[in-house]
Amino acid sequence: MLIGLIRHGLTDWNAEGKIQGQSDIPLNDEGRKQAEMLGERLLHEPYHWDYCITSGLSRAEETGKIIAAKLGIPLLEPDQRIRERAYGQVEGMTALEREAKWGKEWNLLELGQEKDEQLQLRGLAFMEDLSTRYQGSNVLVISHGGFLAQLYTALYKDKYTERLGNLSLTIIEKNEQEWKPLLYNCTRHILQNQR
């Protein structure tokens, strides 16, 4: 079983450096183009994908619709467990705004943000459920940068800490009881089109 983990395409808030969290911010035109690029790339790679599932937030859902349509695969019902971290009071704020209001270590304060452990637990529960339900299938999962970073921490400790790019692709394979990484945070489809 292969899982293709994808961060949604670019939004205006991404471009402005604002934390989105669970605020439902749509893709912008650039994000839509990025999704098209990844869909086109996936059409020509050796992996075959059977299903696509998203978090249900519109930026992930639209990314999933574009890719699933390009590949001609079913888009499954959204799964709330792969939503972005809830950031509470800091959603919609830039780094400068957060630091001006609460200081450089704002993330250590209780501002309504979901804890790392909570994200990791819901991420692992989702992966376990997905591998049971769709055993033997290859599934594309469209989620969010903060959530995926915590899922990779849960699966691989501190092996993968690079910031995840919009529309980055990570492919992992289920072997017995563990997930083996085959590709991490790849944005080749975007870089090739920027030349």
Side-chain angles (χ1 to χ4, degrees), residues 4-11 13-14 18-27 53-64 78-87 91 114 119 122-123 126 140-153 162-168 170 184-185:
L5 296 157
I6 298 167
R7 182 182 176 202
H8 63 78
L10 191 73
T11 69
W13 277 23
N14 286 144
K18 292 181 178 182
I19 286 188
Q20 293 176 118
Q22 294 187 1
S23 298
D24 201 7
I25 308 304
L27 290 181
I53 188 168
T54 75
S55 73
L57 290 172
S58 63
R59 58 192 183 268
E61 205 156 16
E62 189 177 1
T63 301
D79 194 310
Q80 305 290 314
R81 293 174 295 181
I82 58 174
R83 281 183 163 221
E84 181 59 290
R85 178 197 304 263
Y87 276 98
E91 289 190 17
E114 196 174 0
L119 264 84
R122 67 179 163 93
F126 168 78
L140 293 170
V141 175
I142 318 293
S143 187
H144 306 268
F147 171 80
L148 290 172
Q150 287 303 316
L151 176 61
Y152 301 148
T153 297
E162 180 182 318
R163 187 181 185 285
L164 299 171
N166 285 101
L167 252 293
S168 65
T170 297
Y184 175 71
N185 195 24

Side-chain angles (χ1 to χ4, degrees), residues 5-98:
L5 296 157
I6 298 167
R7 182 182 176 202
H8 63 78
L10 191 73
T11 69
D12 287 343
W13 277 23
N14 286 144
E16 294 166 21
K18 292 181 178 182
I19 286 188
Q20 293 176 118
Q22 294 187 1
S23 298
D24 201 7
I25 308 304
L27 290 181
N28 61 21
D29 288 341
E30 182 62 28
R32 290 180 192 97
K33 282 186 210 147
Q34 291 172 338
E36 289 283 345
M37 287 179 222
L38 179 56
E40 191 63 32
R41 171 186 171 176
L42 293 173
L43 267 178
H44 302 325
E45 289 198 339
Y47 304 115
H48 167 79
W49 300 100
D50 301 298
Y51 303 103
C52 183
I53 188 168
T54 75
S55 73
L57 290 172
S58 63
R59 58 192 183 268
E61 205 156 16
E62 189 177 1
T63 301
K65 282 179 184 167
I66 292 168
I67 293 171
K70 182 77 89 173
L71 298 179
I73 61 174
L75 189 60
L76 302 172
E77 283 296 309
D79 194 310
Q80 305 290 314
R81 293 174 295 181
I82 58 174
R83 281 183 163 221
E84 181 59 290
R85 178 197 304 263
Y87 276 98
Q89 295 177 52
V90 301
E91 289 190 17
M93 299 178 87
T94 64
L96 286 175
E97 291 168 336
R98 295 188 301 268

